Amino acid sequence: MSDPGPMPTFLGTADHGGHHSRGPRCISTHRNGPLLQQLQTAEVNSPHPARQRRSGFDVREEPISDFISKGLMTIDQAMSCFRTFFQGCDRYIPIFDPELDNFASVRARSSILLNAICTIGSRVETKSGSQISDLLHAELKRWINVVIQNKTMNCLESIQALLIVACYSAERSLLLSFATRMALDLSLDEAFEELIQRLTMDEIEGIPELHMTTDEEERSLMRKSRTWFGLLVLDHIFHVDGGKPPGIRMTGNAHRCRILLRHHTSTILDLRLFSQVELNVIRARINDTLDTKETLDRPDIAEFVHEAKVDLDLWFDDWLRIIENSIAAGEERPFLLAALRVQKCWAELILHCKALLSMGVENVAAMSPVERNILLLAKSSARKHLRLISTEPDFYLAKLKYAMDFVWAKCAFCFLLLLKLSRLLPERREEHQELLDHGNRLLNELNRSVGSSGQTIGNGSIYMQILRLSIEKYGRIFQEREAGGDPVTTAPFWESFDAQADLQSFVPEQFVREWDFPGLNLFYFPTAWQDFFGDFSLAV
């Protein structure tokens, strides 16, 4: 039997019931082309053209109702959850326009976006209780499936809803990929370039009226650009810190996004968004360079670390100046500056830890002076991170109850890594007590932030438990010495070996399975017999 050629593919059409069915999209002319053309011509000229064949399958397109219409919450409850979301969650998802994205407007435009906002808001509100929060979350997941499978529901608000859910869901990477695909279908990736081009043309005198843009068009492009950049930031974070395969890449100069700060529709949180765009473009480049399959020489890695550190310093200095000089920042300025400093510490910490990972060294005792210096820089970054978030809790920790899982995870990880490094690279005898004091203060502030219920969004409570366990395991190392009344007595390390091993072997599965945080695999194993007779974990 001869080869009939490729099978025809199909394109969706709609029947009278509003269901989605698929009909012929194209007919192959690979073989028997003239015959098929004759059949098509005859069919068109026929007084009774053949009916379009259906596939026999329908894709249901059920309308989505908001939680108020479904009776799951009253309008007062919905408005309260909506306000809660925009009291802090929007800092971590800075893609909204406060002039447009009010309760009435969002409800009129998109039920799925309103439902997503109310669900996350309800999980922050302690007074709403966990029962209604769990109910809303389960209902939201049902309708997210409907949005993903129906092309007719692809719109900017649906993408924003998926972006919100991705920030607070264990299926974060999968949901982000769906949102990115939907954004590409709507050409959101072209909005930024189009907006810049129009803004540039608007500034040129004598331009024809034909090329002038309306305020509504520019606002629409600005909203699309924000959402696309929100996807980019999250994609880079999940790639660098979560092991997600590379997705979006910015091919041009990331600094160009700053021009949007001059637009009259720019918001205060654009300062947060665009600074993160630039930072995470740098971080993605660092990650991909250190994660290359090609073998890098240690001197080359050390030189690259130095250059990357300069890039991070320049980024920080630029945005420190931009935020401090911004008149619009106003009361938000302390929060923006605190976040900026914390993000720099995190970027430097991951840079140094991934450099050591790329060098292939894990045993601290076998490190060269260059490698040991990189490890000391990592420890310094972790210490700065702890001091920043604990010394000014009102500007960072107070808003942590609104934060997505990633922010909780990196806080717990930074402290645990610092505890381990304090044992591997001790500097002062009193260092351990300072760390315990900082850790307990951090835990108290987090408990105060989330309230008496202890309820957090997403997996925040899990990371609080990791933090609590880290403090307990670290404290065990010194309990016997303090009980003996001589906390500074130097003793052989094997007397506290069990406690040491318990801390060093503590690697929470969340930092392995859900995130790709480097550094917890470091250990100390003496390379010379005489090292066994000293205490490697205490300063002498």
Side-chain angles (χ1 to χ4, degrees):
M1 182 179 293
S2 62
D3 179 11
M7 292 294 292
T9 53
F10 298 94
L11 178 67
T13 58
D15 64 8
H16 296 293
H19 297 308
H20 190 76
S21 60
R22 295 184 298 176
R25 179 172 62 185
C26 63
I27 300 178
S28 173
T29 57
H30 176 62
R31 295 191 181 184
N32 302 324
L35 176 60
L36 287 174
Q37 291 176 1
Q38 292 174 14
L39 290 174
Q40 288 177 319
T41 303
E43 183 177 293
V44 171
N45 296 331
S46 172
H48 303 288
R51 293 183 60 187
Q52 190 177 44
R53 295 182 60 187
R54 296 180 56 187
S55 68
F57 299 95
D58 291 335
V59 177
R60 297 183 63 84
E61 297 181 358
E62 300 182 36
I64 298 178
S65 301
D66 59 52
F67 291 154
I68 305 166
S69 301
K70 294 179 72 68
L72 296 177
M73 60 194 321
T74 66
I75 190 168
D76 289 338
Q77 289 175 324
M79 292 179 70
S80 177
C81 292
F82 190 92
R83 285 193 299 269
T84 298
F85 179 91
F86 282 98
Q87 287 171 357
C89 296
D90 58 330
R91 284 183 169 92
Y92 300 95
I93 317 172
I95 60 174
F96 296 102
D97 183 344
E99 291 188 11
L100 178 65
D101 295 314
N102 54 63
F103 181 84
S105 176
V106 171
R107 188 183 185 191
R109 285 185 283 123
S110 173
S111 294
I112 193 65
L113 177 57
L114 179 67
N115 291 349
I117 291 173
C118 289
T119 298
I120 301 304
S122 72
R123 302 185 77 173
V124 177
E125 280 194 346
T126 55
K127 62 182 179 181
S128 63
S130 61
Q131 187 173 3
I132 184 174
S133 174
D134 293 341
L135 176 63
L136 296 181
H137 183 66
E139 188 71 13
L140 177 64
K141 287 174 65 176
R142 287 182 55 201
W143 294 107
I144 286 292
N145 293 328
V146 175
V147 169
I148 290 174
Q149 74 184 15
N150 285 290
K151 190 174 182 179
T152 57
M153 295 183 181
N154 189 1
C155 62
L156 180 65
E157 287 78 11
S158 294
I159 296 169
Q160 291 174 334
L162 285 177
L163 190 54
I164 291 173
V165 179
C167 289
Y168 300 96
S169 170
E171 297 84 15
R172 58 185 70 88
S173 294
L174 185 62
L175 289 172
L176 180 67
S177 296
F178 279 125
T180 303
R181 178 57 185 269
M182 293 168 67
L184 290 171
D185 289 342
L186 293 180
S187 301
L188 259 63
D189 55 317
E190 301 174 4
F192 173 60
E193 295 296 338
E194 183 178 352
L195 180 57
I196 286 183
Q197 184 178 7
R198 293 192 180 198
L199 293 177
T200 303
M201 294 174 68
D202 287 346
E203 295 176 357
I204 301 176
E205 295 183 1
I207 193 168
E209 188 69 23
L210 178 64
H211 298 290
M212 300 298 287
T213 59
T214 65
D215 180 73
E216 185 177 349
E217 289 174 334
E218 288 189 4
R219 184 178 290 274
S220 175
L221 288 172
M222 191 72 167
R223 293 175 62 224
K224 291 178 180 179
S225 298
R226 277 197 201 97
T227 302
W228 178 253
F229 280 130
L231 290 169
L232 181 145
V233 168
L234 214 57
D235 177 86
H236 281 39
I237 290 175
F238 292 169
H239 169 53
V240 176
D241 301 306
K244 176 184 176 294
I248 306 171
R249 280 294 175 269
M250 195 168 188
T251 55
N253 190 335
H255 293 173
R256 296 168 69 233
C257 66
R258 299 180 189 181
I259 193 174
L260 299 186
L261 294 175
R262 303 204 306 259
H263 195 264
H264 67 278
T265 64
S266 179
T267 70
I268 295 174
L269 292 184
D270 284 342
L271 293 166
R272 183 185 289 260
L273 174 62
F274 298 139
S275 65
Q276 289 190 49
V277 169
E278 293 187 23
L279 172 62
N280 284 285
V281 167
I282 296 173
R283 295 185 67 229
R285 178 180 58 81
I286 292 172
N287 180 81
D288 294 345
T289 301
L290 294 176
D291 198 35
T292 182
K293 301 301 181 183
E294 301 176 2
T295 302
L296 297 175
D297 295 332
R298 280 174 168 75
D300 293 337
I301 294 176
E303 180 64 25
F304 176 77
V305 168
H306 175 71
E307 294 175 356
K309 177 66 167 59
V310 172
D311 289 340
L312 292 174
D313 288 341
L314 291 174
W315 165 83
F316 178 77
D317 291 342
D318 280 354
W319 280 98
L320 184 66
R321 184 182 66 256
I322 291 172
I323 294 174
E324 287 181 338
N325 294 335
S326 172
I327 299 175
E331 296 179 355
E332 188 69 19
R333 184 176 288 107
F335 300 96
L336 293 169
L337 293 176
L340 195 74
R341 294 186 176 99
V342 169
Q343 289 162 7
K344 181 174 185 284
C345 288
W346 174 255
E348 291 176 344
L349 173 64
I350 298 301
L351 163 65
H352 296 129
C353 288
K354 291 212 169 184
L356 291 173
L357 183 65
S358 182
M359 290 177 172
V361 59
E362 296 180 359
N363 186 3
V364 176
M367 285 184 176
S368 67
V370 172
E371 294 163 348
R372 193 177 182 87
N373 183 60
I374 292 176
L375 186 58
L376 284 170
L377 291 173
K379 181 183 178 183
S380 175
S381 297
R383 186 190 295 112
K384 287 179 184 177
H385 185 279
L386 176 62
R387 287 175 179 171
L388 280 172
I389 65 177
S390 58
T391 54
E392 295 185 1
D394 291 342
F395 299 132
Y396 193 83
L397 294 182
K399 296 294 183 182
L400 206 63
K401 66 179 180 180
Y402 302 100
M404 57 184 178
D405 287 354
F406 167 68
V407 179
W408 283 94
K410 71 176 186 176
C411 283
F413 168 80
C414 273
F415 186 69
L416 175 57
L417 181 62
L418 181 57
L419 294 183
K420 292 194 174 191
L421 294 182
S422 73
R423 308 307 299 149
L424 297 173
L425 294 173
E427 297 174 26
R428 293 172 289 109
R429 291 181 181 274
E430 63 274 13
E431 183 182 16
H432 69 274
Q433 189 58 49
E434 291 180 3
L435 285 175
L436 283 175
D437 292 341
H438 272 296
N440 286 314
R441 189 183 307 121
L442 175 61
L443 194 59
N444 290 335
E445 289 293 341
L446 290 177
N447 285 325
R448 187 167 66 91
S449 172
V450 300
S452 58
S453 68
Q455 184 179 348
T456 63
I457 311 179
N459 294 319
S461 57
I462 295 177
Y463 296 112
M464 284 185 66
Q465 180 64 14
I466 291 174
L467 180 62
R468 188 177 293 108
L469 286 173
S470 301
I471 295 172
E472 291 176 0
K473 292 177 183 294
Y474 189 73
R476 276 187 55 208
I477 298 174
F478 310 100
Q479 284 177 354
E480 291 184 3
R481 293 172 182 168
E482 292 178 356
D486 188 10
V488 297
T489 300
T490 301
F493 79 92
W494 56 76
E495 291 188 6
S496 59
F497 180 79
D498 289 342
Q500 294 274 8
D502 189 32
L503 175 66
Q504 293 301 330
S505 63
F506 182 47
V507 181
E509 65 173 2
Q510 286 79 10
F511 297 152
V512 177
R513 178 170 49 85
E514 296 189 22
W515 304 103
D516 188 24
F517 296 157
L520 295 181
N521 61 326
L522 296 171
F523 64 91
Y524 186 103
F525 189 83
T527 57
W529 283 109
Q530 59 268 25
D531 293 339
F532 279 103
F533 298 96
D535 184 2
F536 71 88
S537 63
L538 288 177
V540 294

